[in-house]
């Protein structure tokens, strides 16, 4: 009984902190709404975050036991990420809008449909939950590893302007809560990816301590590389000679499990 109560406490704290992380991009999308343009922001972090939330929600529904707190936070994650994506599509220029729609269809519809088919038709019995769990682990690991690029940028520019301490702290706390929750309910698929999240969060805070008194301004060259910080670190899309956006591969993102 004590273990279940402790797990519930960590799960509630994980929900609360993850809620704040999910809400952190609101200023970005408020800016997009006011300017009626997405500027240099990229949609890929939100598409990946939506896929991760969707897979974890499916995992929790299939698991059923000790899954209420996973269902609650990932249900919210699916809704808020979908709102972000719809907002992006509404105000993005033509090229970025078309790319976002294509990625959404391939990744979030096609990819999730593929997982559904594999889990329901190719896997049988208790193996379904195990296979789905490890798929969730892989997606979460990809999400957690993405901040490596922004950390490299901090080392290069010797500036933490694009890696706020508060965000790194909350992401680290989120990883701790969900790791503890996963261990207490004996679900390693929940616990394992948060080990990566915790280590990277600590490393981000160490870098912040090293470079917090570094350059406060941003050089023109740095602005060409990085633009804004939110739980999904995003980078600019340069323009061609005609002023049309040229989309490049996304470089960084963060997302709670």
């Amino acid at each position: 009984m004590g273990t279940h109560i402790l797990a519930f406490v960590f799960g509630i704290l994980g929900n609360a902190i993850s809620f704040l992380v999910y809400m952190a991009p609101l200023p970005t999308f408020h800016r997009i709404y006011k300017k009626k343009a997405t500027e240099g922001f990229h949609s890929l972090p939100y598409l990946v975050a939506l896929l991760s939330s969707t897979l974890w929600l499916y995992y929790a529904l299939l698991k059923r036991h000790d899954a209420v707190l996973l269902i609650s936070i990932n249900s919210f994650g699916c809704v808020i990420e979908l709102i972000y994506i719809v907002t992006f599509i509404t105000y993005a220029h033509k090229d970025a809008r078309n790319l976002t729609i294509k990625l959404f269809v391939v990744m979030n519809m096609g990819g999730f449909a593929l997982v559904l088919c594999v889990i329901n038709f190719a896997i049988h019995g208790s193996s379904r939950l195990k296979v789905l769990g490890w798929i969730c682990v892989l997606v979460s690991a990809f999400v957690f590893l993405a901040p490596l690029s922004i950390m490299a940028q901090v080392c290069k520019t010797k500036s933490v302007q694009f890696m706020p301490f508060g965000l790194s702290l909350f992401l680290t706390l989120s990883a701790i809560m969900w790791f503890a929750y996963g261990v207490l309910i004996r679900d390693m698929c929940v616990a394992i990816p948060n080990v990566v999240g915790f280590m990277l969060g600590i490393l981000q805070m160490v870098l912040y301590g090293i470079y917090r008194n570094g350059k406060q301004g941003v050089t023109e060259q740095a602005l060409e590389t990085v633009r804004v910080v939110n739980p999904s670190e995003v980078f600019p899309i340069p323009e061609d000679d005609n002023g049309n956006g040229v989309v490049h591969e996304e470089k960084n993102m963060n997302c709670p499990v």
Side-chain angles (χ1 to χ4, degrees):
M1 182 63 69
T3 301
H4 283 291
I5 292 175
L6 194 58
F8 181 76
V9 170
F10 276 107
I12 289 293
L13 292 173
N15 268 250
I17 297 172
S18 295
F19 175 83
L20 295 176
V21 175
Y22 273 126
M23 295 296 287
L26 279 179
T28 295
F29 284 90
H30 182 255
R31 174 177 174 175
I32 289 174
Y33 172 76
K34 287 182 66 177
K35 294 196 171 186
K36 310 300 182 191
T38 57
E39 300 179 300
F41 302 116
H42 202 295
S43 61
L44 185 58
Y46 309 101
L47 292 167
V48 175
L50 177 61
L51 177 61
S52 178
S53 296
T54 304
L55 287 172
W56 278 112
L57 179 59
Y58 180 37
Y59 175 82
L61 292 172
L62 195 63
K63 178 184 174 75
R64 297 182 183 178
H65 180 65
D66 288 330
V68 174
L69 295 175
L70 286 174
I71 291 173
S72 61
I73 190 58
N74 287 291
S75 296
F76 176 76
C78 289
V79 172
I80 194 66
E81 296 297 342
L82 190 58
I83 290 173
Y84 292 153
I85 292 167
V86 170
T87 303
F88 185 93
I89 291 173
T90 301
Y91 296 111
H93 59 74
K94 183 178 179 180
D95 291 341
R97 181 188 303 116
N98 290 340
L99 178 61
T100 298
I101 293 173
K102 289 177 181 177
L103 288 174
F104 178 80
V105 171
V106 173
M107 182 188 304
N108 297 92
M109 297 179 66
F112 183 66
L114 178 61
V115 171
L116 280 177
C117 291
V118 170
I119 296 301
N120 285 284
F121 299 109
I123 310 296
H124 303 284
S126 60
S127 298
R128 287 179 174 176
L129 188 63
K130 293 180 181 179
V131 172
L132 179 58
W134 284 107
I135 291 173
C136 291
V137 168
L138 289 175
V139 174
S140 295
F142 173 78
V143 171
F144 277 125
L145 287 173
L148 289 174
S149 60
I150 194 64
M151 292 160 64
Q153 186 65 27
V154 168
C155 294
K156 180 179 179 181
T157 63
K158 295 180 172 53
S159 171
V160 295
Q161 184 171 353
F162 301 106
M163 192 181 70
F165 180 81
L167 178 60
S168 299
L169 176 62
F170 277 115
L171 288 169
T172 304
L173 290 175
S174 177
I176 292 172
M177 298 306 154
W178 287 115
F179 171 78
Y181 178 77
V183 170
L184 289 168
I185 66 172
R186 299 180 181 180
D187 190 333
M188 292 300 102
C189 290
V190 174
I192 288 174
N194 287 288
V195 175
V196 179
F198 171 75
M199 291 189 296
L200 289 177
I202 292 295
L203 185 55
Q204 286 183 53
M205 289 190 288
V206 169
L207 285 178
Y208 187 93
I210 294 173
Y211 295 113
R212 69 183 186 281
N213 295 322
K215 300 176 183 178
Q216 298 300 316
V218 184
T219 64
E220 291 184 3
Q221 182 179 4
L223 281 173
E224 288 295 325
T225 310
V226 64
R227 171 124 195 177
V228 69
V229 167
N230 51 55
S232 304
E233 302 296 341
V234 291
F235 289 72
I237 304 171
E239 296 183 346
D240 59 23
D241 295 336
N242 298 319
N244 297 317
V246 180
V247 178
H248 290 283
E249 182 181 358
E250 180 59 32
K251 300 199 174 189
N252 193 22
M253 67 200 76
N254 281 308
C255 173
V257 173

